[in-house]
């Protein structure tokens, strides 16, 4: 179906976003489905809504995702015909939603950053960008093991390694977010405040200035840049 999900559709909602263009296995939507199934029985209360982008270009992968949800009316897959990820967050509120990314290797993290900026609680793999962006006080970080990259992944080198999140721990985190929303909101509030401090216009401008100073030192030599380089 098209992306027409109403934020007020019904009760607490776990949200996920999958852009097929940047790797189905890497984003691991099937892991999210499995974790949700471990956490909640059909009709127990919360819902799982997964938005997809560019599904029409990857019919086999999309069919796998749709099949994984078969028989569960509390799990929904939505398709965005415009190929834009993250619109699933529009209109969501912290006390009624949680963003989940059980990725094996995070990409740009754009949708995750937007969820954090909106104060929405997050459940993410403790790996890659998501682990740099927040800690256990600010989000629910799921432990993982490093494993060889799946041969079916078209978007990465097959001889590398990525993360395999613990789905049992992810299921526990989902239950905790659902049963203790005040705890989840408190974590999300800290993550939002940290994001404002680290990624404000001023902080971003300073990071760019420092990087340019380092480049200047490498090219021409500069005392301030040498100090920055020493602490980088």
């Amino acid at each position: 179906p098209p992306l027409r999900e109403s934020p007020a559709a019904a009760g607490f909602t776990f949200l996920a976003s999958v852009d097929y263009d940047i790797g189905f296995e890497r984003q691991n939507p099937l892991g999210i489905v499995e974790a949700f199934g471990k956490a909640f029985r059909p009709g127990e209360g919360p819902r799982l809504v997964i938005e997809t982008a560019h599904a029409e270009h990857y019919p086999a992968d999309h069919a796998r995702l749709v099949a994984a949800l078969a028989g569960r009316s509390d799990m929904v897959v939505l398709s965005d015909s415009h190929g834009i990820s993250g619109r699933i967050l529009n209109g969501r509120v912290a006390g009624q939603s949680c963003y989940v990314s059980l990725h094996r290797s995070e990409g740009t993290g754009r949708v995750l950053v937007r969820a954090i900026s909106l104060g929405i609680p997050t459940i993410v793999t403790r790996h890659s960008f998501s682990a740099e962006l927040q800690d256990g006080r600010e989000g629910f970080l799921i432990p993982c093991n490093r494993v060889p990259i799946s041969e079916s992944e078209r978007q990465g080198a097959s001889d590398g390694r990525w993360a395999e999140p613990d789905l049992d721990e992810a299921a526990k985190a989902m239950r905790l977010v659902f049963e203790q929303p005040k705890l989840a909101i408190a974590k999300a509030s800290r993550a939002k405040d940290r994001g404002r401090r680290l990624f404000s216009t001023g902080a971003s401008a300073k990071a760019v200035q420092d990087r340019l100073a380092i480049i200047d030192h490498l090219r021409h030599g500069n005392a301030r840049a040498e100090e920055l380089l020493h602490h980088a």
Side-chain angles (χ1 to χ4, degrees), residues 112-189:
L112 172 59
V113 169
R114 182 156 182 255
I116 291 174
S117 71
L118 293 172
I120 295 174
T122 58
I123 298 174
V124 297
T125 308
R126 189 189 294 272
H127 176 69
S128 190
F129 177 65
S130 57
E132 298 176 7
L133 192 62
Q134 56 190 331
D135 60 27
R137 299 181 307 109
E138 301 156 346
F140 296 85
L141 272 62
I142 305 306
C144 59
N145 293 316
R146 297 290 296 277
V147 300
I149 293 177
S150 169
E151 293 183 358
S152 62
E153 177 55 44
R154 296 180 295 271
Q155 305 294 334
S158 60
D159 59 347
R161 300 177 71 83
W162 59 14
E164 188 64 50
D166 187 325
L167 300 185
D168 289 331
E169 291 299 317
K172 291 178 184 177
M174 288 181 177
R175 289 243 37 132
L176 190 59
V177 169
F178 177 62
E179 295 174 352
Q180 298 188 35
K182 290 183 178 179
L183 170 64
I185 292 172
K187 283 177 176 284
S189 179

Side-chain angles (χ1 to χ4, degrees), residues 200-214:
S200 66
T201 301
S204 299
K206 184 178 183 303
V208 172
Q209 289 175 340
D210 289 349
R211 179 57 60 183
L212 289 174
I214 289 174

Side-chain angles (χ1 to χ4, degrees), residues 50-122:
I50 304 176
E51 72 166 358
T52 65
H54 304 112
E56 67 278 9
H57 299 152
Y58 305 88
D61 286 338
H62 189 62
R64 290 173 62 197
L65 178 58
V66 172
L69 276 62
R72 292 289 300 255
S73 61
D74 52 355
M75 301 188 199
V76 180
V77 173
L78 303 176
S79 299
D80 189 329
S81 59
H82 299 287
I84 302 173
S85 299
R87 293 204 300 162
I88 194 68
L89 298 175
N90 293 348
R92 304 291 175 174
V93 296
Q96 288 294 311
S97 57
C98 174
Y99 179 72
V100 184
S101 176
L102 300 181
H103 63 83
R104 295 184 170 102
S105 178
E106 181 60 270
T108 63
R110 183 179 61 82
V111 182
L112 172 59
V113 169
R114 182 156 182 255
I116 291 174
S117 71
L118 293 172
I120 295 174
T122 58

